[in-house]
Amino acid sequence: VSHSELAISADGNFLTFASDDDLLPGTNADGSSEVFLYDIAQEILSQVTDFEVGLTAFADQPSISADGNRIGFRSSLDVVGDNADGNIEAFLYDVAEDQFDQLTDSVGGAASSVGRVIVNGDGDQVVFSSNRDIAGNNPGQTNQLFSYDVETNEFNQLTTVDEGINANDYFLSRNGSRLIFTSQNDLVGSNADANFEVFLLGSAINVEASILGQAADFPSGPRVPIGANVVWTYRVSNLSDLAFT
């Protein structure tokens, strides 16, 4: 069996992968790369994508949410009727609804337009690499990392590197707050030799506390008379490039 990028759901009940084999006889006779889903408990194999277009088009590198309900993948197929030019785009499949959504819509040729598509554990965020101007901050069309919020349908560019980021592998935490990836770029000034190193892009917050309008972050803090009403105020600032929900 020829397969790529196997992914298992966090609950251990579902396995997704891409294959160009005719695993369900007659459903992939043209030998194109398609996405499959295997229900481990029920021992049921299903073919998620099924397009008779031959070897020039493909669907591959799937990932899966923790409960197995959402599968992200990239494809050059015209899955929902919005990819007639055959570019490599990011897609999301809702298993319960049996519904495909095309997340990106790039122009200008298929080469490397979208890299691996990663769904977080909760199934509400997607991360991928692309050399297109997905969010309006990549006019030079260098390879960058992007996130997509499933609920708001909004894109966010996570990296901004002039020469593009050489992101090889990347993984997203279950709640989508942290992204780990490998790169040859000198992103923080500690990789001048351009080796592949591991980087962490994560959420960071700053919390400032005050009592009755006076700073209360450190002891001993403001003095409050016995019996007086106390009003705590917290100011939370997002210091990262990732949106909080």
Side-chain angles (χ1 to χ4, degrees), residues 13-245:
N13 292 326
F14 299 93
L15 176 71
T16 185
F17 59 93
S19 177
D20 57 14
D21 285 279
D22 194 13
L23 300 180
L24 299 172
T27 62
N28 194 29
D30 62 351
S32 57
S33 177
E34 305 282 3
V35 174
F36 291 82
L37 177 66
Y38 182 65
D39 186 323
I40 297 174
Q42 300 296 323
E43 298 184 350
I44 297 175
L45 177 66
S46 57
Q47 187 170 320
V48 175
T49 59
D50 185 10
F51 298 91
E52 297 181 0
V53 292
L55 299 177
T56 58
F58 63 89
D60 69 358
Q61 299 188 15
S63 64
I64 193 167
S65 61
D67 63 0
N69 188 52
R70 284 178 172 169
I71 298 174
F73 62 96
R74 67 173 195 161
S75 179
S76 60
L77 298 167
D78 193 8
V79 177
V80 298
D82 293 327
N83 193 31
D85 58 2
N87 279 355
I88 303 173
E89 306 290 359
F91 292 86
L92 188 65
Y93 176 66
D94 189 303
V95 177
E97 299 294 331
D98 189 22
Q99 177 178 320
F100 292 95
D101 287 312
Q102 182 174 322
L103 307 185
T104 61
D105 187 11
S106 63
V107 295
S112 303
S113 49
V114 168
R116 188 182 179 198
V117 178
I118 304 293
V119 181
N120 73 332
D122 295 335
D124 57 5
Q125 291 190 51
V126 179
V127 166
F128 58 92
S129 63
S130 177
N131 60 6
R132 305 305 161 92
D133 194 8
I134 302 292
N137 297 313
N138 192 29
Q141 297 194 354
T142 54
N143 200 49
Q144 307 292 342
L145 289 171
F146 296 85
S147 67
Y148 174 79
D149 190 303
V150 176
E151 305 302 325
T152 64
N153 299 322
E154 293 181 349
F155 291 97
N156 183 32
Q157 186 170 321
L158 303 179
T159 60
T160 305
V161 182
D162 291 340
E163 67 274 21
I165 188 168
N166 189 0
N168 186 21
D169 297 311
Y170 38 98
F171 301 92
L172 192 62
S173 64
R174 174 165 182 161
N175 64 2
S177 66
R178 290 187 174 182
L179 174 70
I180 190 170
F181 61 95
T182 63
S183 176
Q184 288 181 298
N185 293 90
D186 192 9
L187 300 179
V188 295
S190 301
N191 193 29
D193 55 2
N195 284 334
F196 269 108
E197 305 291 356
V198 178
F199 294 86
L200 175 66
L201 178 64
S203 60
I205 62 173
N206 179 55
V207 180
E208 297 177 352
S210 62
I211 299 176
L212 301 176
Q214 301 181 53
D217 290 315
F218 305 99
S220 59
R223 294 182 180 273
V224 180
I226 296 177
N229 292 326
V230 178
V231 178
W232 283 88
T233 302
Y234 295 92
R235 180 180 179 183
V236 181
S237 302
N238 183 1
L239 303 180
S240 75
D241 294 325
L242 301 181
F244 290 140
T245 57

